[in-house]
Amino acid sequence: MSKTVWAGKFLTVQTEGTWEFAARQGEIAAAVIVAIDDGDVILVEQFRVPLGRACLELPAGLVGDETAGESVAVAAGRELEEETGYRADAIEDLGVFYSSPGMTSECFTLVRATGLAKVSDGGGDGDENITVHRVPLADVPAFVAEKRKAGVAIDTKMLLILAGSIL
């Protein structure tokens, strides 16, 4: 039986035996979006407080944080448009994955967004200040190396693009 040590709005810190871990609070889930258009992948870069620096990532966002019962597809479409300015014709569910199972219960649903149309500048909501990058797939390894050299953190989910297994 887990014991809650601390609880916030979205996370709890729990212990069970000798394990300490973070867990999502309530029914909040996450969607991570692989958006590829004409051979380019859409990436985002934003400041992440826990890292103290910008991080290069796939677009992503919470599911059900604003509207209870929101579907993953609806949330993914909303987050893709909000963060990147692209709207997708279709969202395909690629399955649930666990972020760091030795430290957190957090999981995310990976989705593929296709049929993209640019409808706005993106950039996130007023607090996010997201930079959108459209990178040819063949250039992703060099782009990641350049960002890393510049001090930008690289989200582990970028390995999906670097490995090329979900394209």
Side-chain angles (χ1 to χ4, degrees):
M1 171 75 80
S2 296
K3 176 184 171 189
T4 299
V5 177
W6 174 86
K9 182 177 179 181
F10 295 112
L11 296 174
T12 64
V13 175
Q14 300 180 1
T15 60
E16 186 169 329
T18 60
W19 284 90
E20 298 176 339
F21 60 95
R24 279 271 181 221
Q25 185 84 288
E27 299 296 316
I28 304 297
V32 175
I33 305 134
V34 176
I36 298 175
D37 187 46
D38 292 330
D40 295 343
V41 64
I42 311 303
L43 304 174
V44 295
E45 182 178 334
Q46 62 183 309
F47 184 83
R48 293 298 194 178
V49 171
L51 304 178
R53 59 184 168 152
C55 188
L56 183 66
E57 310 169 356
L58 294 170
L62 295 177
V63 178
D65 62 326
E66 296 176 9
T67 305
E70 181 179 44
S71 74
V72 169
V74 167
R78 173 180 50 78
E79 289 290 342
L80 179 66
E81 189 170 334
E82 178 183 293
E83 290 190 359
T84 71
Y86 286 90
R87 183 174 294 150
D89 283 340
I91 304 284
E92 176 188 0
D93 187 322
L94 299 174
V96 174
F97 295 84
Y98 291 84
S99 303
S100 182
M103 187 184 82
T104 178
S105 66
E106 180 183 44
C107 63
F108 61 90
T109 300
L110 184 67
V111 302
R112 182 183 356 247
T114 55
L116 303 183
K118 186 75 168 166
V119 296
S120 74
D121 291 336
D125 65 23
D127 296 332
E128 290 178 309
N129 196 26
I130 294 171
T131 301
V132 180
H133 300 285
R134 185 179 173 115
V135 183
L137 286 168
D139 296 346
V140 169
F143 184 77
V144 168
E146 177 185 307
K147 286 294 183 178
R148 183 177 280 122
K149 186 176 179 182
V152 174
I154 309 299
D155 183 16
T156 190
K157 292 176 285 302
M158 286 295 299
L159 290 170
L160 296 166
I161 300 300
L162 290 167
S165 63
I166 60 163
L167 311 176

